[in-house]
Amino acid sequence: MNPFRLTLLLVFLFSISNLTGQALADELVVYSARNEHLIKPLFDAYTHETGIKITYITDKEGPLLQRLKSEGRNTRADLLITVDAGNLWHAANEGVLQKIESPQLAANIPANLRDPDNRWFGLSLRARTLVYSTERVKPEQLSSYAALGEPKWRGRLLLRTSKKVYNQSLVAMLIAEYGEAQTEQIITTWVDNLAAPPFASDTKLMQAILAGQGDVGIVNTYYFGRLLKENPDLKLALYWPNQDSTGVHVNISGAGVTKYAKNPRGAVKFLEWLSSEKAQNLFADANMEYPVNPGVEAHAYVKSWGSFKASEMNLARAGELQSDAIKLMDRAGYH
Ligand code: FE
């Protein structure tokens, strides 16, 4: 090759690599198990602030994880966003997330709401708590998750299906708190008290209480918030259990940088921004959740449901004990 052509080729190659580098720095690709209407406003705000373009796809947790695994090194995804520590732990365990070091994330997110190995980080918090009929139950009659197994709730308790990860995480955390034997006993008494077969959703469960099918159940706070918004005279209220012991079971929605991210630095920067004071309300308020950043207050509407002591156990336990929880619920006849 003559020197002139070689120079041309080198200039060409240099500009190509520069272009790709530029494109990478200005773009992020997100796989999200959270609905578009919850994440799009955040992406738009970030793009507005930084000029960085965010491309995303949304799907259910299972297909997204499968996709990340089969794409391997060729994935375009920089970030996985999903709900429930059980799901995040599972993704990390499947090897699709990478460890990242960020003093900012460590400062903004309490240690129990992120992976001890720094592969996933909670970005918003929800409580899985008790809900009761204000027409048929007095809050003084309630106390703890375990007490829902007392004989006085025979034929009055409603639960969502044990197939849902929210309940698997709840039971995993009960195992971490009480041990297997005691937890199995608690779940067995819950099953004894069921007023109806488990429901497909938290919302259906609450509608069943309103219809008089049962009097008390366990739900995520934001589902209660949605119903309350539709009907301010809702004859339901939340109750915060375990206040003089372990605290309310909380869970997160969160994210992790993918193992083969093309723009890992950009992904970390975006995570840091999401955990920052200015973005936390955007993230949490969209789904009526609580910010994870202790320096940020929940929306007034969410705060109106009351304050509570939350469990401080690391949510990684919800993942570690997930398969034990599933087996235990099966043994106890909770389906
Ligand atoms: Fe949900």
Side-chain angles (χ1 to χ4, degrees):
M1 196 179 284
N2 74 44
F4 177 69
R5 292 187 91 181
L6 181 65
T7 312
L8 261 187
L9 180 69
L10 284 175
V11 165
F12 176 72
L13 284 177
F14 178 75
S15 53
I16 287 261
S17 70
N18 216 20
L19 269 176
T20 353
Q22 191 63 32
L24 280 180
D26 289 346
E27 196 187 0
L28 270 176
V29 181
V30 178
Y31 284 4
S32 173
R34 290 211 106 183
N35 292 337
E36 180 172 17
H37 75 276
L38 297 178
I39 51 169
K40 177 100 176 12
L42 281 164
F43 296 167
D44 290 345
Y46 192 64
T47 303
H48 185 76
E49 194 176 309
T50 62
I52 293 165
K53 193 175 151 237
I54 299 180
T55 315
Y56 61 92
I57 57 165
T58 61
D59 203 337
K60 296 235 178 281
E61 166 67 24
L64 283 181
L65 182 58
Q66 208 43 54
R67 183 168 173 163
L68 275 173
K69 279 167 68 181
S70 59
E71 287 173 342
R73 288 175 191 281
N74 299 320
T75 191
R76 289 185 62 230
D78 297 300
L79 209 62
L80 173 69
I81 297 181
T82 188
V83 296
D84 205 283
N87 286 335
L88 288 159
W89 184 92
H90 187 56
N93 203 43
E94 292 285 320
V96 302
L97 302 178
Q98 63 171 281
K99 287 184 189 187
I100 58 175
E101 291 306 325
S102 163
Q104 226 171 307
L105 287 175
N108 288 345
I109 305 171
N112 65 311
L113 305 179
R114 51 185 160 85
D115 177 23
D117 286 332
N118 291 319
R119 293 162 302 177
W120 47 264
F121 299 84
L123 295 169
S124 66
L125 184 99
R126 64 276 297 281
R128 192 151 187 79
T129 194
L130 309 193
V131 64
Y132 64 93
S133 160
T134 52
E135 295 176 310
R136 299 183 297 278
V137 176
K138 299 250 169 299
E140 309 85 77
Q141 297 175 278
L142 296 162
S143 59
S144 67
Y145 296 100
L148 292 178
E150 289 173 354
K152 69 178 173 201
W153 301 113
R154 182 69 45 101
R156 302 174 72 188
L157 175 65
L158 299 176
L159 294 173
R160 182 178 185 163
T161 169
S162 64
K163 309 281 178 294
K164 184 67 189 179
V165 69
Y166 301 160
N167 283 332
Q168 295 168 0
S169 290
L170 170 66
V171 172
M173 297 301 270
L174 291 176
I175 293 174
E177 285 160 4
Y178 302 109
E180 278 228 21
Q182 205 183 328
T183 303
E184 188 165 340
Q185 212 180 337
I186 293 168
I187 306 301
T188 305
T189 57
W190 284 3
V191 172
D192 288 343
N193 284 349
L194 284 181
F199 292 87
S201 77
D202 288 8
T203 305
K204 287 206 171 84
L205 186 160
M206 285 185 282
Q207 284 163 343
I209 295 180
L210 292 172
Q213 237 187 313
D215 298 336
V216 62
I218 302 174
V219 293
N220 279 3
T221 38
Y222 54 92
Y223 292 113
F224 169 81
R226 284 181 205 168
L227 271 196
L228 187 64
K229 209 153 230 178
E230 283 168 22
N231 174 13
D233 297 322
L234 201 66
K235 300 280 190 273
L236 294 175
L238 294 179
Y239 180 86
W240 311 113
N242 294 36
Q243 290 305 279
D244 42 20
S245 58
T246 49
V248 176
H249 170 70
V250 291
N251 211 314
I252 50 171
S253 79
V257 178
T258 61
K259 173 125 184 243
Y260 297 110
K262 303 297 177 288
N263 185 7
R265 277 185 48 195
V268 172
K269 281 222 169 78
F270 182 50
L271 274 183
E272 289 171 345
W273 182 81
L274 288 173
S275 73
S276 73
E277 293 193 8
K278 63 182 156 193
Q280 273 284 284
N281 280 117
L282 265 181
F283 197 94
D285 298 356
N287 193 33
M288 294 187 239
E289 290 181 78
Y290 301 87
V292 288
N293 186 324
V296 181
E297 298 223 10
H299 190 282
Y301 181 72
V302 171
K303 282 211 292 196
S304 74
W305 308 334
S307 57
F308 58 91
K309 177 179 119 180
S311 164
E312 285 177 5
M313 188 176 302
N314 193 292
L315 281 173
R317 301 292 281 148
E320 289 159 8
L321 293 165
Q322 189 183 71
S323 63
D324 291 343
I326 293 170
K327 283 181 236 158
L328 186 152
M329 289 189 282
D330 193 50
R331 287 199 302 275
Y334 176 16
H335 301 297

